[in-house]
Amino acid sequence: MTQATKPSDHSSLQIRQNTATGTIALLVFLAAGVLAACLPLLGNTLAVQWAREFLMLLALASLWNLLAGYAGLVSVGQQAFVGFGAYAFLHFSLSADKSIGQDWTQIDPITGLGKTITLADSFPAWMFVGPLHPLVSVLLAMVLGGLLAVPLSWIVFRLRGPYFAIGTWVVAVVVQLVVGQLGWLGKGTGTAISLDYAFRFGDINAVHNAFQAINPDTKKVFAREAYRFWMMLAATMLILLGILVVIRSRIGLALAAIRDNEAAASALGVNPTRLKLLLFVAVGAATALVGAIGAFDESGLLPVKNFSLLEYTAFIIFIVVIGGIGSFEGPIIGSVIYFVADKVLTGLVGEYFYIVLGVIGILVMLFAPKGLWGLVQERTGFTLFPVRRHVIFGNKEQDA
Amino acid sequence: MIDQLLSVVLDPLRLLDILIDGISSGAQYALFAAGLSLIFGIMRLVNLAHGDFIILAAYILFAISWVLGALGLPPELNPLLALLIAAPLLFALGYAVQRGVLNNTLGKDILPPLLVTFALSVILQNGLFLIFSPDTRSIDSGALSTAGINIGYRQVPVLALTTVGTALAVIGGLQYLFFRTALGRDFRAVSDDPEIAQLMGINRRQVFALSMGVAMVVVAIAGVMFGVAGSFDPYLGPSRLLSAFEAVIIGGVGSLWGTLAGGIVLGISEQFGSRAFGEEFKQISGHVAFLIILLLRPRGLFPRDKD
């Protein structure tokens, strides 16, 4: 992608952003996505589950990195959007129709047993538009996540720096507590989405039939798992490509300018608050989308689980920091390292894993604040997904 | 719901209940918040592990009581005596953490201190979990936990009065330390301008470490009061941090008496919400009160002139 500037006094002046490595990296990235989409064909449930977990980490880490690493918005409350998305998905999977009351199971907190509730008995039927197709549900959850970000921003954007961080946390707790009070969503005691829900829809049945054509023993659960994996894969690919487009665009340039000197950037016509608000809303929407896809699950929803600070923010922050904050590559590397460490080390050291993770996080922050990818770049100047612009004067090239 | 609300608002005795219980839990929040307020005022550092340090202090108390029991002594704990052991321990820990780790993270970028203290929080929670198991613990403090004073229509727990007294003493003490002592002068100097203070011969890193030590003594006091007042488990730190943070913001950053007021506003809101709308609305009411105050008065009730 070569952009020519205005041919004023320097007709030979050109700005180059992409490199050959950049093109290759992008192609490899797209090929990896296509290859990953074939994974369910192996028929291994665990592999598909693990891949989906990894994709969720990768998407959340990249989104948090966009907020904190590029826009300087260090949020500790992204779990609000993950949980909100999950519960929005649950809402759209519900139906008030008594004949399909099977759709809603409330889990008894004491016995752990499920109990079927017919919603129209307790809540007005107009509240329930579902059951909607999972694809429609996750997209609606995304839109609602973006809408939720707007009022939340009114509150947290009044706070600066570290107070912004804790402010987002408080707001996330409030969202969790409010969602936990909503009776039709289980009122904090947990709800499960039944397997029947998914197979109301022709295309998921078609997926099941197609898998059965390959292997007649394929279970419904596996078809649903594969469907969910594809949704997560598509969402993650789109989120990552979207982030790449944003940071390589004028918005990315403006963000870099704000990061270097906010006052100077404002003087040059960048509106920091508007830009940050835009990113906060976009990241909120995308985070809700990821949370919604994650909720398409048989094991059930629980506010303390789906709004987990540890899982959806703390570990995500460690991933980004260890991989390298403020770079596109960092969250990818961090996710791979975290995922492998989680699967290997948790078996070996159990609960010590979190302590080890915390210690590594501190060490990286103290001695390599740009993370592992930062170390690589410092040593080699190598970059896979080029973001910086280089000015070319005739044959001479300079960093811009 | 409206009936319940009216029955609370129109009954002077129930309003008095809200006031009494709100002030006593508010005093506890102020105790949680005083250390946070102090170190933010001095070095603009937000310690995300603050709540976990409070829980750590409560566990130190639990450990002391356990050791007493194991030695065949009566395990009832005199909180003051426990504090004599816990306070120096936490002072040393705070000093060491600041000197060894946190001093290296202070600077223009807000991310390093946030991440490092966040990591400390995760380490502390899981460390306590590994040592003490996830079981809920409580401390036997003898007669103190059950004693009450009769004020005619109800009892006021002695423990509540002790908490209020402790909060007043801690904030008064910090205020004295800050404005009447040589160390307090150093604190104020590095708070106003760390570079100039350094030029004037103040060792900034040393002062920061001492201020963290002092904050941790306050944490020890808060932890002891918390441990005596109820039961606890390794994962309660974050919610203590949030209450503390809200008290600081409501009161106005940098104002210690404001922090006390903030804690009380929070305590009263929670008591009101819990009585007027039901127990499950207790937490939400506190948070919502905080958000409303934040929207109406972003700099808190008693803002400092400069920040």
Side-chain angles (χ1 to χ4, degrees):
Chain A
M1 185 170 61
T2 306
Q3 307 174 296
T5 53
K6 277 184 207 152
S8 52
D9 46 341
H10 290 290
S11 52
S12 64
L13 187 90
Q14 283 191 319
I15 291 177
R16 194 176 61 104
Q17 192 176 26
N18 203 4
T19 57
T21 335
T23 312
I24 295 169
L26 198 60
L27 289 174
V28 169
F29 176 72
L30 293 173
V34 174
L35 209 62
C38 303
L39 182 71
L41 298 179
L42 296 176
N44 185 328
T45 312
L46 194 63
V48 177
Q49 272 174 3
W50 279 19
R52 196 239 318 142
E53 282 173 30
F54 170 76
L55 288 169
M56 185 157 175
L57 284 178
L58 177 59
L60 291 177
S62 300
L63 287 168
W64 189 83
N65 181 43
L66 182 63
L67 266 193
Y70 286 93
L73 296 169
V74 184
S75 166
V76 191
Q78 291 310 101
Q79 69 276 18
F81 296 100
V82 178
F84 180 81
Y87 273 89
F89 182 87
L90 172 67
H91 176 79
F92 293 122
S93 75
L94 296 177
S95 149
D97 188 342
K98 286 187 186 188
S99 63
I100 43 174
Q102 282 292 336
D103 274 336
W104 195 61
T105 320
Q106 183 166 8
I107 298 164
D108 189 292
I110 298 156
T111 60
L113 297 173
K115 170 174 75 163
T116 304
I117 305 264
T118 307
L119 290 165
D121 288 347
S122 332
F123 298 96
W126 57 261
M127 284 172 57
F128 305 100
V129 290
L132 299 178
H133 190 283
L135 272 176
V136 179
S137 297
V138 298
L139 290 176
L140 283 174
M142 178 177 81
V143 172
L144 288 180
L147 289 177
L148 173 72
V150 175
L152 297 195
S153 74
W154 297 337
I155 297 163
V156 295
F157 275 51
R158 288 169 173 260
L159 298 165
R160 296 260 142 223
Y163 281 81
F164 174 85
I166 313 192
T168 52
W169 189 352
V170 174
V171 163
V173 170
V174 173
V175 174
Q176 178 190 334
L177 289 173
V178 170
V179 169
Q181 285 300 320
L182 303 178
W184 76 94
L185 296 178
K187 218 174 181 185
T189 55
T191 26
I193 299 169
S194 73
L195 188 62
D196 295 342
Y197 160 68
F199 291 92
R200 246 168 227 296
F201 305 102
D203 54 340
I204 305 181
N205 274 313
V207 166
H208 185 220
N209 293 339
F211 275 121
Q212 276 191 325
I214 304 171
N215 177 0
D217 294 336
T218 310
K219 300 221 162 44
K220 277 186 162 186
V221 185
F222 181 76
R224 185 178 65 169
E225 186 61 54
Y227 197 86
R228 176 155 68 129
F229 164 76
W230 283 323
M231 289 208 291
M232 192 64 95
L233 180 65
T236 307
M237 294 297 283
L238 287 175
I239 286 169
L240 261 65
L241 287 174
I243 290 173
L244 197 58
V245 168
V246 166
I247 59 178
R248 291 173 69 160
S249 71
R250 289 167 58 92
I251 295 179
L253 198 59
L255 287 172
I258 295 170
R259 195 167 38 170
D260 291 343
N261 187 333
E262 185 157 341
S266 305
L268 290 171
V270 176
N271 183 340
T273 313
R274 208 182 55 190
L275 210 54
K276 286 178 180 180
L277 182 67
L278 192 75
L279 276 185
F280 187 71
V281 171
V283 168
T287 307
L289 170 71
V290 173
I293 298 173
F296 185 23
D297 177 74
E298 76 273 32
S299 63
L301 269 63
L302 200 64
V304 287
K305 197 184 84 182
N306 288 83
F307 285 88
S308 164
L309 167 76
L310 214 55
E311 218 157 309
Y312 300 124
T313 299
F315 295 158
I316 298 300
I317 295 180
F318 288 138
I319 287 174
V320 177
V321 169
I322 291 171
I325 189 164
S327 70
F328 182 78
E329 295 88 343
I332 302 178
I333 294 171
S335 303
V336 173
I337 293 175
Y338 175 87
F339 190 75
V340 172
D342 185 23
K343 295 297 177 204
V344 175
L345 282 179
T346 310
L348 292 176
V349 297
E351 297 292 330
Y352 287 96
F353 174 65
Y354 303 122
I355 295 181
V356 172
L357 193 68
V359 172
I360 293 175
I362 292 178
L363 290 177
V364 169
M365 204 69 240
L366 288 180
F367 300 110
K370 287 269 149 207
L372 291 177
W373 185 249
L375 284 182
V376 172
Q377 270 197 317
E378 248 170 54
R379 301 273 152 88
T380 61
F382 182 70
T383 175
L384 282 176
F385 297 93
V387 171
R388 300 170 75 179
R389 289 163 172 80
H390 299 265
V391 183
I392 303 166
F393 300 97
N395 301 328
K396 267 170 55 189
E397 189 170 316
Q398 273 186 344
D399 276 359
Chain B
M1 192 179 250
I2 298 288
D3 290 352
Q4 202 183 354
L5 180 66
L6 283 179
S7 77
V8 170
V9 175
L10 297 178
D11 183 349
L13 284 184
R14 298 190 70 177
L15 286 177
L16 192 61
D17 275 346
I18 290 174
L19 205 63
I20 293 170
D21 296 337
I23 289 175
S24 74
S25 63
Q28 198 185 41
Y29 295 147
L31 273 177
F32 295 157
L36 196 72
S37 183
L38 182 77
I39 53 169
F40 186 81
I42 294 171
M43 45 190 164
R44 305 288 181 277
L45 171 80
V46 169
N47 180 6
L48 293 184
H50 185 77
D52 304 291
F53 280 119
I54 294 172
I55 302 302
L56 174 70
Y59 270 101
I60 291 177
L61 206 63
F62 174 76
I64 295 170
S65 158
W66 186 84
V67 169
L68 286 179
L71 292 176
L73 297 165
E76 290 109 50
L77 210 54
N78 182 334
L80 218 61
L81 216 65
L83 197 60
L84 283 179
I85 303 173
L89 269 177
L90 279 164
F91 180 90
L93 182 65
Y95 185 92
V97 167
Q98 184 67 37
R99 232 22 245 247
V101 182
L102 291 175
N103 268 343
N104 301 322
T105 65
L106 293 176
K108 250 182 107 178
D109 192 358
I110 62 149
L111 201 60
L114 275 178
L115 286 174
V116 169
T117 55
F118 207 21
L120 278 178
S121 161
V122 171
I123 293 172
L124 278 170
Q125 282 175 37
N126 287 287
L128 289 174
F129 167 85
L130 284 170
I131 300 171
F132 294 103
S133 88
D135 295 347
T136 302
R137 308 287 187 179
S138 57
I139 294 160
D140 186 359
S141 58
L144 181 62
S145 48
T146 48
I149 291 172
N150 200 329
I151 56 162
Y153 79 105
R154 64 167 276 183
Q155 296 258 321
V156 175
V158 171
L159 197 60
L161 294 173
T162 319
T163 310
V164 174
T166 312
L168 288 172
V170 163
I171 292 193
L174 285 178
Q175 201 78 12
Y176 178 84
L177 176 78
F178 218 60
F179 291 103
R180 294 273 183 274
T181 66
L183 182 62
R185 197 175 55 223
D186 290 353
F187 284 172
R188 280 179 288 138
V190 291
S191 164
D192 286 345
D193 193 325
E195 267 86 38
I196 302 287
Q198 186 89 26
L199 287 177
M200 296 294 145
I202 294 172
N203 182 348
R204 180 170 55 169
R205 298 171 68 85
Q206 171 74 3
V207 172
F208 284 161
L210 285 174
S211 70
M212 185 55 101
V214 171
M216 291 295 268
V217 170
V218 179
V219 161
I221 297 170
V224 166
M225 292 310 297
F226 182 64
V228 172
S231 51
F232 49 89
D233 66 57
Y235 299 110
L236 285 181
S239 54
R240 301 312 104 188
L241 170 72
L242 287 192
S243 309
F245 164 75
E246 290 174 346
V248 171
I249 296 275
I250 292 174
V253 173
S255 160
L256 281 168
W257 290 113
T259 298
L260 180 63
I264 289 172
V265 168
L266 206 57
I268 289 177
S269 313
E270 284 187 355
Q271 290 299 325
F272 179 78
S274 133
R275 276 154 217 256
F277 309 114
E279 177 63 27
E280 68 266 35
F281 286 92
K282 186 179 169 193
Q283 272 181 295
I284 291 191
S285 309
H287 294 312
V288 168
F290 160 73
L291 294 177
I292 291 172
I293 291 172
L294 187 64
L295 286 173
L296 297 179
R297 294 192 64 132
R299 285 164 52 72
L301 298 175
F302 306 101
R304 214 161 49 160
D305 296 339
K306 82 168 204 63
D307 194 25

